[in-house]
Amino acid sequence: MSLSIPEITLNDGLTLPVIGFGTYRLNGNPGVNAINSAIDLGYRLIDTAYNYENEGTVGEAVRRSSIPRDQLRITSKLPGRYQEYDKAVTTIQESLYRANLDYYDLYLIHWPNPKQDNYVEAWQALIDAKKWGLIRSIGVCNFLPEHIDRLNKETGVKPSINQIELHPYFNQEEQRKWHEENNITTESWSPLVRANEVLQNETLRNIARDHNKTISQVILRWHYQLGTIPIPKSSSPKRQLENISIFNFSLNETELSTIAELTRPDGRMKNQDPAIYEEF
Ligand SMILES: NC(=O)c1ccc[n+]([C@@H]2O[C@H](COP(=O)([O-])OP(=O)(O)OC[C@H]3O[C@@H](n4cnc5c(N)ncnc54)[C@H](OP(=O)(O)O)[C@@H]3O)[C@@H](O)[C@H]2O)c1
């Protein structure tokens, strides 16, 4: 059984499904099997990163899949330690060699690392790699509006996507609005808060019960109705299917407002504020 997932179009014309598949901690043969199961179920957008050490696993799953390469959307990310222009270029090439792919559909700068202050030259490397055909669409992760403004001012090129921590405990209302005004698509990482106690939350449980759905499904439907692309990770085919079975119900305005009340200013899972936090 394969579910059909609706698609949206990014500001540069690339189409993406409205829900994707996270792969953090899916490595080796079990990882290939989990990713192949996800693709068989209907996932087409797969999220990896140089730092997850599993671009090879993702590439192998793509090769073993019966779905043509041009129907898949594979994302990878540039780590902080390789943001200088020349290093960024060779890292993008290395990412492709690791996956044994000819191109990535999306390539993102993983963190802005503002103290290091190299993200504009990293961005220039992504712009050039797109011109060379190594990447179809370029974006960022964890960038604040001020970081994106600088990319735009210094290179004239805006990201197609900003992938940020976003879940019911940290709903990023302001940043989402800013993305909308600037025609940038929001992708949500850790959309299920890594299945922490959110999956016992009473407010969400009541909403889930009313729809005869699970809490995970309510959360993922909420992402969809906000207009963000969640990329839940699951090693289990059963939970992978659960997570994309969200297109046959709808949350009403009252339910959306109730979920909005769960957000907290300190709701980030690990206090990773991109203005300060750096990752290499
Ligand atoms: N750009 C960034 O800085 C950044 C940072 C973090 C993550 N990411 C990306 O975002 C992806 C998703 O985030 P994440 O992996 O941190 O967290 P997540 O997707 O919110 O949660 C994953 C956890 O939830 C469990 N789970 C999944 N579906 C479930 C369900 N229906 N019921 C119960 N448990 C369920 C999984 O366990 P099982 O595997 O056992 O199902 C796993 O432990 C990552 O894999 C990665 O690709 C990006």
Side-chain angles (χ1 to χ4, degrees), residues 17-147:
V18 296
I19 182 166
F21 186 69
T23 67
Y24 180 53
R25 297 211 164 137
L26 294 177
N27 299 75
N29 201 47
V32 172
N33 289 338
I35 296 163
N36 275 137
S37 152
I39 294 173
D40 287 346
L41 289 166
Y43 290 86
R44 295 291 177 267
L45 169 64
I46 314 289
D47 184 81
T48 177
Y50 193 93
N51 273 352
Y52 301 169
E53 305 281 4
N54 68 354
E55 291 165 309
T57 297
V58 169
E60 181 59 20
V62 169
R63 271 183 303 287
R64 283 196 209 167
S65 163
S66 57
I67 301 299
R69 171 70 185 91
D70 64 0
Q71 290 180 28
L72 297 170
R73 299 286 182 268
I74 313 299
T75 307
S76 194
K77 313 188 191 92
L78 179 76
R81 64 189 179 284
Y82 299 137
Q83 285 190 0
E84 289 162 44
Y85 180 87
D86 290 342
K87 287 183 184 163
V89 169
T90 52
T91 302
I92 294 164
Q93 291 162 342
E94 175 64 19
S95 272
L96 287 165
Y97 300 151
R98 287 180 176 198
N100 197 10
L101 294 174
D102 298 330
Y103 66 92
Y104 280 102
D105 298 277
L106 264 169
Y107 207 84
L108 315 176
I109 300 178
H110 209 145
W111 284 87
N113 287 12
K115 275 180 273 169
Q116 185 179 237
D117 198 23
N118 283 333
Y119 62 84
V120 178
E121 52 182 289
W123 187 239
Q124 191 58 54
L126 266 63
I127 293 170
D128 292 343
K130 183 178 173 187
K131 284 189 197 136
W132 302 328
L134 305 182
I135 307 170
R136 293 178 73 196
S137 181
I138 58 177
V140 293
C141 303
N142 305 302
F143 272 47
L144 298 173
E146 70 214 50
H147 306 135

Side-chain angles (χ1 to χ4, degrees), residues 24 47 142 163 190 192 194 231 233-235 239 243:
Y24 180 53
D47 184 81
N142 305 302
Q163 185 186 111
S190 295
L192 298 172
R194 296 212 170 133
I231 46 170
K233 170 261 174 187
S234 179
S235 55
R239 290 188 287 281
N243 291 347

Side-chain angles (χ1 to χ4, degrees), residues 10-21:
L10 303 181
N11 63 18
D12 57 10
L14 185 73
T15 56
L16 284 192
V18 296
I19 182 166
F21 186 69

